[in-house]
Amino acid sequence: MQTNPTFTSLVAVGDSFTEGMSDLLPDGSYRGWADLLAARMAGRAPGFRYANLAVRGKLIGQIVDEQVDIAAAMGADVITLVGGLNDTLRPKCDMGRVRALLTEAVERLAPNCKQLVLMRSPGRQGPVLDRFRPRMEALFAVVDDLAARHDAVVVDLYGARSLADPRLWDVDRLHLTAEGHRRVAEAVWQALGYEAEDPEWHAPLPTAPPPGWLLRRGADLSFARQHLLPWIGRRLTGRSSGDGRTGAQFSAELGQAFWITPADHTNPGPVTDWLRVGH
């Protein structure tokens, strides 16, 4: 990996983690680590282009069917692919199928970009996710194997103690806070060879007294009512939070993706203010 490279384009592929939930902006849209990374990369490369194709709730098969070929055809310098974790959280998960689909995605994307980036997704501490850890770790073993075979970069977020801290996770306990997304953007930035802006992104948060019993039980009840029960309901009825949605830079009307670029690369600003390029 070169040091301080000049990449001129980025395409992000995946699910809610890459879409940016729960880094909510005042206008109701999501930002997330991929948008933050794109803005930083744009400051180093005039004419930088970016497209985020990720959609919440997508399984790896849907990512392959709906995003991978589109991303491969865009000819980006960098493509990020994070997927499969939603599969591992389903009651029934065929890890052999997940491996085959992730392999298919990597084999399509790696030859069509200068650098493919894969991730070992962060894992929050807590009993709910603990039951799924064997599957998660099996998924990450696949990621490591594919990266070695296809010269992809692996960003190890799972091994970062800071990202296991519940304080960096939103109240739904499935998505990172704005600070969590900032740390992920820094991790990917460094993995791509750029000079560190926050060398301690992986450092644990300062210790703090745990909340009292009443606060914890209240948070548990709120989580179950607002997030866990609706999530279970969607699983039982075959629905997804991503139904009817497309990626931020995908036009359902035209049936194709498009690039966005900052009006001024010296001050890229948030990607929500960038200009659309092409169709």
Side-chain angles (χ1 to χ4, degrees):
M1 178 64 64
Q2 59 181 311
T3 302
N4 287 324
T6 303
F7 294 119
T8 61
S9 53
L10 168 68
V11 173
V13 173
D15 52 31
S16 59
F17 174 68
T18 302
E19 183 184 350
M21 297 173 72
S22 292
D23 187 4
L24 191 63
L25 296 174
D27 66 358
S29 64
Y30 290 107
R31 180 177 51 185
W33 66 265
D35 285 8
L36 294 169
L37 175 67
R40 288 170 65 170
M41 293 173 72
R44 299 287 186 93
F48 184 85
R49 298 175 300 163
Y50 169 57
N52 191 330
L53 307 181
V55 178
R56 68 195 72 173
K58 294 300 182 182
L59 303 174
I60 186 59
Q62 295 170 308
I63 293 171
V64 170
D65 290 343
E66 300 169 13
Q67 300 177 36
V68 166
D69 282 347
I70 295 169
M74 297 181 79
D77 283 353
V78 177
I79 298 177
T80 64
L81 168 63
V82 187
L85 197 62
N86 283 334
D87 297 77
T88 69
L89 300 179
R90 294 295 178 104
K92 295 181 180 179
C93 174
D94 182 345
M95 287 304 298
R97 183 173 184 273
V98 171
R99 180 186 184 96
L101 287 166
L102 192 57
T103 299
E104 181 180 347
V106 170
E107 289 178 345
R108 291 190 198 177
L109 293 173
N112 290 289
C113 63
K114 292 183 179 178
Q115 184 61 67
L116 179 63
V117 177
L118 306 176
M119 296 188 199
R120 295 162 57 92
S121 304
R124 182 186 186 276
Q125 294 175 347
V128 175
L129 284 181
D130 281 348
R131 61 176 295 193
F132 298 108
R133 289 192 190 279
R135 289 182 186 172
M136 293 168 62
E137 291 174 357
L139 174 68
F140 300 152
V142 175
V143 168
D144 291 343
D145 178 59
L146 289 171
R149 289 196 278 128
H150 295 276
D151 199 25
V153 168
V154 176
V155 184
D156 184 13
L157 305 175
Y158 187 68
R161 291 177 59 195
S162 64
L163 295 179
D165 193 311
R167 289 173 291 176
L168 288 184
W169 292 75
D170 193 41
V171 293
D172 66 3
R173 305 183 183 181
L174 286 174
H175 302 107
L176 292 169
T177 63
E179 172 60 14
H181 279 285
R182 184 199 68 79
R183 290 178 182 237
V184 173
E186 176 68 29
V188 183
W189 173 262
Q190 292 182 29
L192 286 171
Y194 293 101
E195 183 177 354
E197 295 187 11
D198 177 12
E200 301 301 318
W201 69 266
H202 48 73
L205 274 64
T207 57
W213 185 89
L214 285 177
L215 285 176
R216 295 200 306 273
R217 295 295 77 77
D220 289 343
L221 289 172
S222 178
F223 160 71
R225 182 174 59 253
Q226 296 181 34
H227 302 286
L228 181 59
L229 292 178
W231 183 84
I232 292 173
R234 290 194 298 271
R235 300 292 80 76
L236 293 175
T237 58
R239 293 178 293 118
S240 168
S241 56
D243 288 347
R245 296 180 179 272
T246 63
Q249 279 75 57
F250 184 86
S251 169
E253 180 181 357
L254 297 175
Q256 63 186 42
F258 57 88
W259 296 102
I260 57 173
T261 190
D264 178 4
H265 81 275
T266 63
N267 184 25
V271 301
T272 50
D273 295 337
W274 287 15
L275 306 175
R276 183 166 167 170
V277 179
H279 298 294

